[in-house]
Amino acid sequence: MKNFNEIYQKTYQDVKAIISQNPKKPFLESKAFKIALIIGVLVLLVAIGFNFLPLIFIYMICAALFIFIFTQSEKDKEYKNTVIAALVKNYDNNLHYNITGSVPRHIYNQGEFEYYELYHSEDGIQGMLDGIMPFNMSNISTQTESTDSDGNTTYYTVFSGLFAEVTLNKRLNLKLLIHSDKGVLGKLFKGSNRVNMDSQEFEKIFDVTASDKIQAMQLLTADVMADLIDFKEKSKRRFEMTIKGNKLYFRFHCGNVF
């Protein structure tokens, strides 16, 4: 497996080569300037026609804001399409980054996470993980909304981070949920499917439910639980998993990483 330094060095060289082959156009030749200029001419004609020259000053302010917002957006796209795309490719040549890619809502719902109302997915990474397992990942954000008696709507973030669907090369006759610990009340509401694990430390981090408790215990051995605890401590981020048949659904609470 490649280490981080190898991936970083290769990505740096790839991005450097792309930039050298595609030098930036002068600002006066940029798309943002051309659009702003066209709008400006139209506004100027209208201002002269209606004898309302103050409109020109309004245009100047709007044009400045437009150019700033547009160029920032273009910079974000350029960064993603060069740096992120190269980083993903160098990590695994079988994976591909797509700035407009996404994970459908119905696939995310297979993870059986908490309730939400609004769903957004962007920055997709798809392909064959290690060349053998179909892989689909993207940035996901979910929200709920609440409207008060005055008609004011407030949005609350439920989840923001990475979500992935992996097709395993082995089918398990099992539904296994390894989700973040919800406290005493959360454990009580898990019902008869809740699995009591042998590790108290693991129990503090995760709630486990399974359709087959014996098979779940066989999968979550002491070594596996120790590895998951270690990963949680090193990453300092919450993560959760759901296994259904030959599908693994994984999400990482890290915000928008791209």
Side-chain angles (χ1 to χ4, degrees), residues 5 11 19 24 33 45 48 60 63 119 129 141 158 162 165 180 186 192-193 197 203 224 234:
N5 188 57
T11 301
I19 293 175
K24 291 184 177 180
F33 177 77
L45 292 174
I48 294 174
M60 292 174 64
Y119 178 85
L129 190 62
S141 64
V158 178
L162 289 173
E165 176 196 42
S180 296
S192 59
N193 287 332
M197 308 308 299
E203 285 272 359
V224 171
K234 288 182 177 179

Side-chain angles (χ1 to χ4, degrees), residues 3-249:
N3 61 42
F4 176 78
N5 188 57
E6 290 176 10
I7 297 173
Y8 173 82
Q9 292 298 330
K10 184 65 170 63
T11 301
Y12 174 79
Q13 295 299 327
D14 289 348
V15 172
K16 185 177 178 181
I18 292 172
I19 293 175
S20 64
Q21 293 172 7
N22 300 282
K24 291 184 177 180
K25 294 181 180 180
F27 177 70
L28 294 181
E29 298 179 20
S30 69
K31 186 176 180 180
F33 177 77
K34 291 177 181 178
I35 294 175
L37 183 62
I38 292 172
I39 296 174
V41 172
L42 293 175
V43 172
L44 182 60
L45 292 174
V46 173
I48 294 174
F50 286 90
N51 194 27
F52 187 57
L53 293 182
L55 191 62
I56 297 175
F57 297 101
I58 298 175
Y59 157 72
M60 292 174 64
I61 296 173
C62 293
L65 289 173
F66 169 79
I67 291 172
F68 173 76
I69 294 172
F70 186 90
T71 52
Q72 285 299 115
S73 176
E74 288 298 301
K75 287 179 182 178
D76 289 342
K77 291 180 181 178
E78 182 181 7
Y79 170 79
K80 291 181 178 182
N81 286 326
T82 52
V83 178
I84 301 301
L87 184 65
V88 170
K89 180 181 178 181
N90 289 324
Y91 173 76
D92 190 330
N93 195 45
N94 299 294
L95 299 178
H96 306 281
Y97 170 75
N98 181 2
I99 192 171
T100 60
S102 63
V103 172
R105 182 173 184 149
H106 73 271
I107 292 180
Y108 177 79
N109 289 344
Q110 290 297 312
E112 297 189 26
F113 302 112
E114 66 282 298
Y115 170 80
Y116 69 91
E117 294 172 312
L118 305 177
Y119 178 85
H120 179 71
S121 172
E122 63 181 1
D123 296 310
I125 299 175
Q126 290 84 29
M128 300 291 288
L129 190 62
D130 290 332
I132 56 174
M133 293 183 291
F135 180 84
N136 188 10
M137 183 176 78
S138 78
N139 268 315
I140 301 286
S141 64
T142 63
Q143 294 177 311
T144 58
E145 58 180 339
S146 176
T147 303
D148 61 24
S149 57
D150 296 325
N152 300 314
T153 300
T154 304
Y155 299 94
Y156 301 94
T157 298
V158 178
F159 170 76
S160 178
L162 289 173
F163 170 83
E165 176 196 42
V166 183
T167 302
L168 307 174
N169 53 19
K170 181 180 180 181
R171 177 176 291 275
L172 301 173
N173 186 25
L174 171 75
K175 181 172 78 171
L176 174 63
L177 278 60
I178 307 172
H179 292 180
S180 296
D181 176 69
K182 299 296 190 300
V184 177
L185 290 177
K187 295 183 187 300
L188 290 175
F189 282 109
K190 293 299 180 181
S192 59
N193 287 332
R194 181 174 178 270
V195 183
N196 294 309
M197 308 308 299
D198 295 332
S199 169
Q200 291 185 352
E201 188 175 3
F202 190 84
E203 285 272 359
K204 292 178 182 178
I205 302 173
F206 300 104
D207 286 337
V208 179
T209 59
S211 58
D212 186 328
K213 294 184 180 182
I214 295 176
Q215 194 174 0
M217 296 291 285
Q218 291 173 340
L219 289 173
L220 294 173
T221 63
D223 289 341
V224 171
M225 287 191 289
D227 288 340
L228 292 176
I229 293 171
D230 185 59
F231 180 73
K232 168 70 168 55
E233 291 177 347
K234 288 182 177 179
S235 66
K236 300 187 184 302
R237 290 289 186 274
R238 289 192 297 136
F239 65 92
E240 297 160 287
M241 294 181 288
T242 297
I243 297 175
K244 289 182 175 181
N246 67 334
K247 297 288 187 179
L248 167 64
Y249 305 97

